[in-house]
Amino acid sequence: MEKTVVNSWNEWDPLKHVIVGRADDCHIPPEEPALDAKVPEDSDMRGQWGRRPQETIDRANELLDNFAAQLQARGIRVDRPTPIDHSQPVTTPDFHTDSQFGCMPPRDVLLTVGSEMLEATMSYRCRWFEYLNYRPLMQQYFNEDPNFRHASAPKPRLTDADYRTDYLSEKIGIEKRLEWTADKFFVTTEEEPLFDAADVLRFGKDLVVQHGFTTNLKGIEWLRRHYRDHRVHAVNFPGDPYPIHIDATFTPLRPGLILNNPRRRLPDDQREIFENNGWEIVDAAQPAHNGPPPLCYSSVWLSMNVLVLDPKTVCVEKSEVYQAEQMDKLGMEVVEVELRDAYAFGGGLHCCTADVYREGTCEDYFP
Ligand code: ARG
């Protein structure tokens, strides 16, 4: 019997089926150009690599398992990746790296648009093979759903030509970084198309893509040529000194409403398509924490990395009380989820998931 397994056009329609990542065997990868550019200059992660401490892996898995169970209790089907051995080095004709990253967060790798799931090119060498963690699921969906399209973007070569050496200096300083970000001078060059799936937000017929460290203009152009029935918009956020992955910066909650990180404001000329169509862009609430947890890549703004379950219901991290309060004021029912001890593995509630099925069809929100 024909059945549709894969279908998702936006970030807010009722969620019915989702992938939740795992922390198994996650590694802090060795130095490489694009990754080094992203690790905050004052981070405790600088200069160390290897398998993450087992007790942190166990704790993160406990939280991810609980999150999966919470979703299942609401009738949502949850699938999990099959971890590969991330300690394996990667050698291609073009580069070598001594370990991989993990199978967190799936949002970075898999981009679901309608009935297609696309494996992103990725832009870190340690993440080149990360799609393998999800291949058993891709095969399963392929067998179950005759309309499912499994796609993979061209694997990038990731030679040194992909990275700006300016970013290799140990101490760049926040001021210089902000200047570079404002000038759209990022660590990745325009050698070849590069993108991570988590730089893309889906608004039905429109895809909004962050130009930054992990996604270059050629990557955005590749997406434009791939999604021929869509309009693809490049955005950038000058206030972010480490611009990777759009989902702690710009968070659509429902048709007509987006949270924007007040420190990373969308420039005026890029607001038009939203404002001309009656969408409101509001400042996200302040994070509840002064700093990220240990060995974490991300900033405190994972507070706004929420998972929308339907236009009236949203998962917010349990300790993020200001964010929860704001959701309540915006008329959303808040589902509290404990996840902070898993942040170090690559992100929050939106990051650690990847859409498989949301109800609804492809709509034009910006006619
Ligand atoms: N760059 C974001 C921040 O530190 C974190 C984004 C994480 N998102 C993800 N999909 N991994 O504020």
Side-chain angles (χ1 to χ4, degrees), residues 24-243:
D24 301 54
D25 194 37
C26 276
H27 278 62
I28 295 174
E31 290 189 353
E32 60 166 291
L35 184 74
D36 292 358
K38 155 70 186 163
V39 180
E41 290 186 18
D42 53 3
S43 170
D44 54 352
M45 301 171 81
R46 288 247 163 199
Q48 60 167 314
W49 69 278
R51 196 172 194 275
R52 285 179 179 267
Q54 188 60 43
E55 62 278 12
T56 67
I57 291 178
D58 293 343
R59 172 66 177 150
N61 268 336
E62 182 188 335
L63 295 177
L64 290 163
D65 291 350
N66 290 344
F67 180 32
Q70 253 179 304
L71 294 171
Q72 278 163 338
R74 302 182 75 94
I76 297 168
R77 175 174 160 193
V78 178
D79 287 334
R80 312 297 298 275
T82 306
I84 59 168
D85 175 2
H86 300 119
S87 71
Q88 286 181 95
V90 173
T91 304
T92 75
D94 294 307
F95 69 81
H96 171 85
T97 181
D98 280 312
S99 97
Q100 303 182 49
F101 189 86
C103 44
M104 258 290 283
R107 188 72 62 179
D108 299 1
V109 186
L110 299 172
L111 178 59
T112 308
V113 175
S115 59
E116 180 184 277
M117 292 177 89
L118 173 71
E119 295 162 0
T121 68
M122 309 310 284
S123 47
Y124 296 172
R125 292 168 178 165
C126 59
R127 304 192 77 175
W128 207 83
F129 276 122
E130 204 163 305
Y131 65 92
L132 292 177
N133 294 287
Y134 304 100
R135 278 292 169 94
L137 292 176
M138 297 301 112
Q139 279 174 301
Q140 191 188 327
Y141 304 155
F142 193 84
N143 293 338
E144 289 175 3
D145 179 351
N147 291 312
F148 169 55
R149 282 172 312 163
H150 177 198
S152 175
K155 291 309 286 173
R157 300 189 66 166
L158 302 185
T159 66
D160 289 345
D162 275 327
Y163 309 107
R164 290 211 165 86
T165 50
D166 309 70
Y167 271 96
L168 296 182
S169 140
E170 277 284 298
K171 282 267 165 240
I172 297 167
I174 291 293
E175 222 165 289
K176 182 101 234 152
R177 282 178 180 272
L178 287 172
E179 239 171 71
W180 283 352
T181 302
D183 291 342
K184 302 186 204 170
F185 179 79
F186 300 121
V187 63
T188 39
T189 65
E190 293 296 337
E191 174 71 11
E192 60 180 340
L194 296 176
F195 66 94
D196 282 9
D199 281 315
V200 184
L201 289 174
R202 301 155 307 141
F203 293 75
K205 202 173 167 49
D206 293 81
L207 301 172
V208 172
V209 189
Q210 169 171 242
H211 177 207
F213 282 3
T214 36
T215 295
N216 62 10
L217 290 175
K218 280 218 176 102
I220 298 174
E221 181 55 26
W222 189 90
L223 290 165
R224 189 172 282 130
R225 294 184 199 184
H226 182 73
Y227 295 112
R228 292 176 170 215
D229 297 331
H230 284 76
R231 293 174 296 239
V232 175
H233 311 270
V235 293
N236 68 291
F237 299 92
D240 187 356
Y242 304 96

Side-chain angles (χ1 to χ4, degrees), residues 38 105 107-108 198 240 242 244-245 247-248 264 297-299 301-302 305 346-347 351:
K38 155 70 186 163
R107 188 72 62 179
D108 299 1
D240 187 356
Y242 304 96
I244 82 158
H245 303 152
D247 54 1
R264 309 173 184 166
Y297 293 99
S298 308
S299 72
W301 291 99
L302 289 181
N305 189 263
C351 312

Side-chain angles (χ1 to χ4, degrees), residues 276-292:
N276 291 345
N277 288 282
W279 283 58
E280 224 191 321
I281 302 177
V282 304
D283 280 356
Q286 286 299 311
H289 303 274
N290 295 324

